[in-house]
């Protein structure tokens, strides 16, 4: 069998020999049992979780791994596929929900095995498992923090933003607002600044940031953390003639206006002028 002949525990795996690994995945077309398929997929998660390298350096390998996962899924029956997906997501969540573990964002490539229509259900199932085990708060906090950090530094997994968006929405539906506010506040400044990045805009990427901003619209602390960056972000978007950038700019202005008004409510009388002076850059927008 392929695992026995070319298993990921071999020298190529241990030495991070990317060309050899790529060749392994391209050549591994032998028939495997579901047990062997699951083992390969779980070994891959372990490997990806600590793989070094930049997006550019890893892109070729990750594309090959993505194709490998898709090929394995397509081989399985419905029952086998469910077994495989459940095992992979359990392993995936065990890494991102561990506060003591630093996980490479390249690990997110494994999410390709989950059909888009199943994402919400899979996240809900995991959330319910955490509730039953009594570890919901630390696990959810660590997982959300990990996913948001990946959003800041990784752009090679198209499914990541959709997964993150559903993760946030499920937490909202489960009323886990304390966790959402805490972790969102920790990351809001860096998330906001990504709107000025000179990258091809993808609406789902920006929708995540807009959603987080809306959820924090009544938080004076959130407004304070992004206020110093408002000017440069809006100028950058205004210089982009793309249709989505124009729509994003309008949406962002509306959200910022609401955030500013909410933050201003704490100021009365003469102190309103103090507020306007402190946030003059935003007020003048």
């Amino acid at each position: 069998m392929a695992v026995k002949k070319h298993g990921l525990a071999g020298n190529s795996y241990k030495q991070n020999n990317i060309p050899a690994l790529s060749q392994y995945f391209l050549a591994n077309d032998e028939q495997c049992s579901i047990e062997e398929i699951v083992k390969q997929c779980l070994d891959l998660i372990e490997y990806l979780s600590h793989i070094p390298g930049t997006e550019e350096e890893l892109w070729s390998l990750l594309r090959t791994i993505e194709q490998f996962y898709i090929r394995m899924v397509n081989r399985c029956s419905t029952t086998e596929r469910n077994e495989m997906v459940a095992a992979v997501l359990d392993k995936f969540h065990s890494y991102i929900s561990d506060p003591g573990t630093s996980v490479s964002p390249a690990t997110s490539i494994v999410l390709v095995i989950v059909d888009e229509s199943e994402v919400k259900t899979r996240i809900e199932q995991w959330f319910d498992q955490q509730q039953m085990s009594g570890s919901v708060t630390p696990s959810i906090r660590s997982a959300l923090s990990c996913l948001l950090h990946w959003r800041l530094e990784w752009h090679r997994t198209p499914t990541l933003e959709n997964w993150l968006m559903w993760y946030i929405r499920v937490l909202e539906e489960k009323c886990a607002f304390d966790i959402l506010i805490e972790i969102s506040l920790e990351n809001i400044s860096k998330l906001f600044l990504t709107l000025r990045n000179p990258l091809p805009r993808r609406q789902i990427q920006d929708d995540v940031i807009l959603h987080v901003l809306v959820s924090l619209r009544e938080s004076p602390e959130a407004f304070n953390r992004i206020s110093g960056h408002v000017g440069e972000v809006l100028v950058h978007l205004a210089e982009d003639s793309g249709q989505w950038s124009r729509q994003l700019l309008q949406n962002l202005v509306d959200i910022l206006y609401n955030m500013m008004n909410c933050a201003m409510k704490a100021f009365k009388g003469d102190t309103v002028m103090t507020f306007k002076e402190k946030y003059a850059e935003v007020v003048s927008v």
Side-chain angles (χ1 to χ4, degrees):
M1 288 295 182
V3 175
K4 296 177 181 177
K5 292 181 180 179
H6 310 291
L8 285 174
N11 290 333
S12 297
Y13 171 47
K14 292 180 179 179
Q15 298 172 9
N16 192 33
N17 186 330
I18 290 179
L21 281 167
S22 296
Q23 186 62 36
Y24 159 69
F25 288 117
L26 287 170
N28 187 14
D29 284 323
E30 301 176 45
Q31 290 296 321
C32 301
S33 68
I34 182 60
E35 291 79 14
E36 290 173 321
I37 290 175
V38 170
K39 183 182 184 305
Q40 289 184 76
C41 292
L42 297 184
D43 285 348
L44 262 177
I45 296 176
E46 181 179 354
Y47 169 64
L48 289 168
S49 68
H50 58 260
I51 187 173
T54 65
E55 289 180 300
E56 290 72 22
E57 291 169 342
L58 297 175
W59 180 235
S60 178
L61 174 62
L62 293 179
R63 285 289 295 163
T64 306
I65 291 176
E66 179 182 36
Q67 293 165 8
F68 172 80
Y69 269 112
I70 293 173
R71 195 165 69 244
M72 294 299 102
V73 168
N74 290 338
R75 283 184 182 178
C76 297
S77 66
T78 300
T79 301
E80 290 173 338
R81 178 186 176 279
N82 286 334
E83 179 182 342
M84 173 185 168
V85 171
V88 167
L89 290 182
D90 281 347
K91 185 82 167 181
F92 174 80
H93 278 123
S94 72
Y95 277 108
I96 69 170
S97 63
D98 183 353
T101 301
S102 178
V103 188
S104 168
T107 313
S108 61
I109 201 70
V110 306
L111 296 176
V112 71
I113 69 168
V114 184
D115 188 88
E116 187 174 337
S117 63
E118 299 178 349
V119 172
K120 181 183 179 183
T121 300
R122 297 288 183 177
I123 295 173
E124 288 175 331
Q125 289 172 345
W126 180 71
F127 187 96
D128 292 340
Q129 289 172 0
Q130 302 312 299
Q131 283 188 314
M132 289 188 290
S133 67
S135 60
V136 61
T137 299
S139 296
I140 297 298
R141 179 187 289 114
S142 297
L144 178 59
S145 181
C146 180
L147 291 173
L148 284 173
H149 285 156
W150 286 358
R151 168 61 184 82
L152 291 169
E153 60 188 64
W154 192 259
H155 308 282
R156 296 289 190 177
T157 307
T159 54
L160 177 58
E161 283 81 15
N162 185 51
W163 189 273
L164 175 56
M165 180 66 87
W166 275 117
Y167 194 91
I168 292 172
R169 287 174 174 169
V170 168
L171 295 191
E172 290 172 342
E173 291 178 6
K174 301 290 185 178
C175 298
F177 298 115
D178 289 347
I179 296 174
L180 278 169
I181 292 173
E182 175 192 349
I183 303 303
S184 296
L185 271 176
E186 289 178 2
N187 293 277
I188 190 60
S189 180
K190 291 180 180 178
L191 282 170
F192 187 73
L193 278 171
T194 63
L195 293 173
R196 68 177 182 179
N197 290 349
L199 296 170
R201 305 223 70 87
R202 294 216 316 270
Q203 184 171 344
I204 183 60
Q205 288 181 321
D206 298 328
D207 281 346
V208 170
I209 301 174
L210 293 178
H211 191 90
V212 172
L213 284 171
V214 169
S215 69
L216 295 175
R217 64 187 178 278
E218 297 183 5
S219 168
E221 178 63 23
F223 179 74
N224 182 61
R225 293 190 182 194
I226 67 172
S227 60
H229 310 302
V230 167
E232 59 182 310
V233 169
L234 295 185
V235 167
H236 172 76
L237 292 176
E239 292 175 345
D240 189 335
S241 60
Q243 182 177 355
W244 169 240
S245 292
R246 308 301 294 181
Q247 183 61 54
L248 174 61
L249 177 62
Q250 183 59 58
N251 293 344
L252 194 56
V253 168
D254 292 342
I255 293 171
L256 290 171
Y257 181 78
N258 288 330
M259 292 182 76
M260 181 180 68
N261 284 338
C262 288
M264 197 184 300
K265 289 179 181 178
F267 294 80
K268 305 294 182 182
D270 294 340
T271 61
V272 173
M273 186 56 64
T274 302
F275 175 90
K276 291 183 177 180
E277 290 174 354
K278 180 178 180 180
Y279 299 109
E281 183 178 11
V282 184
V283 173
S284 62
V285 171

